[in-house]
Amino acid sequence: MNVIERLVTLVEGHDIYFADFQRYFLEQKKQIPEFTTMEKTKLESFNSFESLKNAGLNKEKELLLLIIKEEKGNKTRAKKKIGISRATLYNKLKEYNIELST
């Protein structure tokens, strides 16, 4: 629902005034939760897009290692659990410099 539609249902009468927009946006702002101290610290540590990209790659690597460990190194079961092809699994292993004993 867009702002105008929302205001039409909320205002009394037939007219929408600037004050109605202000009141609507103030109410919306109140509904946004504040960041916790830990969340603020995490956000401050991401000083660029590259940091965010690296964080995603690190999580992907962690997940890959966790699933491979869970599957006791069985690449076939790991790729099925992750939902990727064998080629993609091998590309990820190479990308993250993960060596598995065969």
Side-chain angles (χ1 to χ4, degrees), residues 67-88:
I67 291 173
I68 289 171
K69 182 178 179 182
E70 191 175 88
E71 296 301 332
K72 297 177 177 58
N74 186 309
K75 292 177 251 178
T76 301
R77 287 197 312 252
K79 76 170 184 73
K80 285 180 183 177
K81 190 169 202 168
I82 299 169
I84 59 176
S85 70
R86 183 177 181 90
T88 300

Side-chain angles (χ1 to χ4, degrees), residues 21-37:
F21 283 98
Q22 289 177 315
R23 189 172 33 255
Y24 173 80
F25 287 112
L26 284 174
E27 288 173 9
Q28 294 302 309
K29 187 176 180 183
K30 289 177 187 174
Q31 293 177 11
I32 299 171
E34 290 292 320
F35 286 115
T36 65
T37 304

Side-chain angles (χ1 to χ4, degrees), residues 12 15-16 34 46 56 59 67 77-78 82-83 87 92 96:
E12 295 178 21
D15 298 321
I16 298 174
E34 290 292 320
F46 292 117
K59 287 295 180 187
I67 291 173
R77 287 197 312 252
I82 299 169
K92 293 291 181 188
Y96 297 126

Side-chain angles (χ1 to χ4, degrees), residues 40-83:
K40 285 180 185 176
T41 303
K42 286 181 180 179
L43 285 173
E44 289 167 0
S45 70
F46 292 117
N47 57 6
S48 69
F49 173 75
E50 196 59 35
S51 294
L52 185 58
K53 181 180 174 187
N54 288 337
L57 293 176
N58 288 336
K59 287 295 180 187
E60 185 178 54
K61 181 179 180 179
E62 287 176 29
L63 180 62
L64 187 59
L65 287 168
L66 179 69
I67 291 173
I68 289 171
K69 182 178 179 182
E70 191 175 88
E71 296 301 332
K72 297 177 177 58
N74 186 309
K75 292 177 251 178
T76 301
R77 287 197 312 252
K79 76 170 184 73
K80 285 180 183 177
K81 190 169 202 168
I82 299 169

